[in-house]
Amino acid sequence: MKTKKRNILIGIGVIVTAILVVGFVWSDDSEYFLKVYQSIDIFTRVYKEVAVNYVDEVNPELFMRAGIDGMLKTLDPYTVYIGEEDKDEIDLVTTGKYGGIGVTIGLRDGAVSILNLMEGYSAVKQGVQVGDKIIEVDGKSVSGKSLEEVRSLVRGVPGSEVKLKIEREGEPSPLEFTLMREEIRIQNVTYAGFVQPGIGYIVLERFSRTSAEDVREAIKELKAQGELKGIILDLRGNPGGLLEMAVEVTSMFVPESSLIVSTKGRKPDSERKYYSTTKPLLPSIPMAVLVDRNSASASEIVAGAIQDLDRGVIVGTRTFGKGLVQTITQLSNTASLKLTTARYYTPSGRCIQEIDYSKRLGDGSVFAVPDSIKHEFHTKQNRPVWDGGGVQPDSTVVDTVRIPFIDELYRQGMFFKFANHYASINKSIPEKIEVTPELLNSFQSFTKEKGFVYKSKEEQLLEEVHKAIQSASYSKAVQRALASLDSLMKNEKTNYFQYYHKELTTILTAELAGRLKGERARIEAELPSDKQLQVAASLLGNSKRYNAILRK
């Protein structure tokens, strides 16, 4: 009973703290504060009444969390309550480090599997391999556990031990590893190299506390390898992170004292401006930034600044459209609030936020800013750019068209499984990964053995037509014709492996290279077929076209 009362008091204490905080912030607006105070008073009374008198016992902490989550759900998806279980992910962004063994895990065919290994850490040193399936962590079965639960079991305090039991294809019985957790420094830059003579290429996957340092080191390494005549910064799929890191990264390419981004909150005096404060590492060589629909937040700050300052060309597809800034406030030893406190604006003055969460439809849904009310802004050289819909590229290059057949092979994990199978029967690593017609045939046979089934949309439509014709009592001749068409379509599918042999060869080459030689080898195997990257490299190598884009 004492524990229940203590938990209820904790819940009420959090609410009272909120009253004091709100009172402090809004003491200069008595009418507004009065409404806030009255609302919190009602909320506190409801909470206490339910927690104490509801017919069934209520978990006070979960009940409070539900109330907080319910309130925040009416705002935007980036304003969230951070409990103790979420703290590791926040630390990962803010410090760029965590305690672990140097693996990336994910679900493959329903099993928690090792998807990637980080060089130099315990897992690689002890012989853990990509494709290994985790079945136990410290003697606890992972069956039925979520990916987050397994990840939290594997991670821990640096210097502590963790025991893994894994299944590996080709091994008759499970293998056991005793691994030492280390301080893992996350890899923000996952690749740096030359894609053409003189054209450097850097892949930046996130903006954590160490991102700027990693980009700086990558540039220095490229310079040490040879003359840099152009640089490509790849922000595709980069979800963002720390605003300060976006400013630091941009500062490496733009003139000193350039305005990079400004933020404006609710109050008139809340505007802050962020300038580059250091001399750039690469002040003038041609530059391209690769973006796509999953480039968001800090990625858009960098892309928007590079575009507005006419420092380089943006290549790819439009970005996500997140122009909101979050601030993390600690509420207690184990809880924090990530709160949207401002919008950010690129140097031209535009906000690229696509969704206005303050304007909702009657059912609570939100909508994108329509083109009719978007505003035109201008870059340093007077090129037109617009707000309200992410960063539009200077050179739009749609990535490879999706092929449903290949998407289904991915979805059923066929490439990943085949790479594991190949590694299990080929113990020596070949000098060159080559996907021959024979190997492609082996892949086709492998998918058949694993029960791969692909049903095209056309087949699904034909099934519906067949059912409709049967119910309408059409003649046998019509039904035979449909059956014949169905047979022809099924036979056509057997040729898909030959028809898409180029695409399959490219994917398998990259998958096998990554499986046998590591992530860098996988990326290098994909470079020749990366259409957006090749367009960017071509632009940097053609000064006439490059300059023409920046003068539009």
Side-chain angles (χ1 to χ4, degrees), residues 382-530:
N382 209 36
R383 292 188 297 143
V385 287
W386 288 266
D387 66 357
V391 175
Q392 295 287 348
D394 301 309
S395 177
T396 299
V397 182
V398 179
D399 203 359
T400 307
V401 177
R402 307 268 316 217
I403 300 170
F405 171 67
I406 291 180
D407 282 348
E408 190 62 21
L409 285 168
Y410 268 119
R411 194 186 69 78
Q412 296 188 33
M414 290 297 123
F415 298 113
F416 185 80
K417 293 174 185 176
F418 182 72
N420 292 339
H421 171 70
Y422 182 89
S424 71
I425 61 176
N426 293 274
K427 300 300 182 183
S428 61
I429 299 176
E431 185 68 27
K432 182 181 179 182
I433 305 294
E434 186 176 3
V435 178
T436 61
E438 292 75 21
L439 186 59
L440 199 57
N441 288 335
S442 296
F443 176 64
Q444 183 174 358
S445 300
F446 177 84
T447 61
K448 187 175 181 180
E449 291 171 9
K450 293 298 181 182
F452 172 72
V453 176
Y454 170 65
K455 184 179 287 187
S456 68
K457 288 183 178 179
E458 293 77 14
E459 284 181 287
Q460 295 173 31
L461 287 171
L462 190 61
E463 283 183 2
E464 293 177 13
V465 172
H466 190 72
K467 290 177 182 177
I469 284 177
Q470 281 185 324
S471 63
S473 301
Y474 275 81
S475 67
K476 296 289 185 181
V478 173
Q479 294 186 35
R480 283 196 298 271
L482 277 177
S484 176
L485 180 58
D486 182 56
S487 178
L488 284 170
M489 289 175 67
K490 283 184 168 61
N491 289 334
E492 185 75 16
K493 279 200 307 182
T494 63
N495 299 322
Y496 278 5
F497 283 89
Q498 284 68 47
Y499 186 76
Y500 296 117
H501 73 277
K502 287 184 179 179
E503 292 84 356
L504 292 171
T505 297
T506 298
I507 295 167
L508 284 171
T509 301
E511 195 74 33
L512 293 176
R515 180 63 180 78
L516 298 175
K517 296 185 175 183
E519 183 67 8
R520 183 178 180 84
R522 182 192 66 76
I523 293 174
E524 289 178 340
E526 291 177 334
L527 297 182
S529 61
D530 188 333

Side-chain angles (χ1 to χ4, degrees), residues 207 235 238-243 246 296-303 322 344:
F207 288 87
L235 299 180
N238 186 321
L242 300 177
L243 181 146
S297 191
S299 293
E300 295 174 290
I301 289 175
V302 175
K322 179 181 181 289
Y344 73 74

Side-chain angles (χ1 to χ4, degrees), residues 30-54:
S30 57
E31 185 178 350
Y32 184 89
F33 172 62
L34 179 61
K35 291 179 181 179
V36 171
Y37 181 85
Q38 289 173 339
S39 299
I40 294 179
D41 182 54
I42 293 172
F43 185 89
T44 307
R45 288 170 180 267
V46 170
Y47 175 86
K48 181 180 178 182
E49 191 67 25
V50 173
V52 175
N53 295 321
Y54 184 66

Side-chain angles (χ1 to χ4, degrees), residues 289-315:
V289 180
L290 296 179
V291 295
D292 63 11
R293 201 66 174 87
N294 295 313
S295 304
S297 191
S299 293
E300 295 174 290
I301 289 175
V302 175
I306 295 296
Q307 186 176 60
D308 283 3
L309 297 172
D310 292 306
R311 174 59 186 88
V313 295
I314 311 301
V315 179

Side-chain angles (χ1 to χ4, degrees), residues 131-149:
D132 287 348
K133 297 178 181 179
I134 301 175
I135 56 177
E136 286 184 9
V137 179
D138 284 335
K140 299 175 183 176
S141 171
V142 303
S143 177
K145 294 187 182 297
S146 69
L147 200 57
E148 287 303 315
E149 288 175 314

Side-chain angles (χ1 to χ4, degrees), residues 191-341:
Y191 184 84
F194 285 90
V195 291
Q196 288 182 13
I199 305 298
Y201 175 53
I202 297 173
V203 180
L204 179 60
E205 291 205 349
R206 64 185 65 79
F207 288 87
S208 77
R209 183 60 63 192
T210 56
S211 292
E213 179 186 342
D214 292 345
V215 173
R216 191 176 292 109
E217 286 302 313
I219 291 172
K220 289 179 180 178
E221 287 176 14
L222 289 174
K223 282 184 170 182
Q225 293 174 35
E227 183 185 3
L228 267 178
K229 299 177 181 178
I231 189 72
I232 300 171
L233 180 63
D234 193 343
L235 299 180
R236 291 175 296 181
N238 186 321
L242 300 177
L243 181 146
E244 293 84 358
M245 288 300 103
V247 173
E248 281 197 40
V249 169
T250 308
S251 297
M252 297 177 200
F253 307 102
V254 302
E256 188 176 3
S257 302
S258 297
L259 175 64
I260 293 174
V261 66
S262 58
T263 62
K264 297 177 186 176
R266 185 166 167 182
K267 291 187 174 183
D269 60 352
S270 64
E271 183 177 10
R272 290 190 64 189
K273 294 186 176 183
Y274 297 82
Y275 295 87
S276 56
T277 57
T278 57
K279 291 183 178 180
L281 286 175
L282 300 175
S284 58
I285 65 169
M287 179 181 188
V289 180
L290 296 179
V291 295
D292 63 11
R293 201 66 174 87
N294 295 313
S295 304
S297 191
S299 293
E300 295 174 290
I301 289 175
V302 175
I306 295 296
Q307 186 176 60
D308 283 3
L309 297 172
D310 292 306
R311 174 59 186 88
V313 295
I314 311 301
V315 179
T317 55
R318 61 151 287 192
T319 61
F320 184 80
K322 179 181 181 289
L324 302 176
V325 180
Q326 284 73 47
T327 302
I328 297 177
T329 301
Q330 190 167 349
L331 302 175
S332 68
N333 290 334
T334 59
S336 300
L337 177 66
K338 186 166 75 168
L339 178 68
T340 298
T341 54

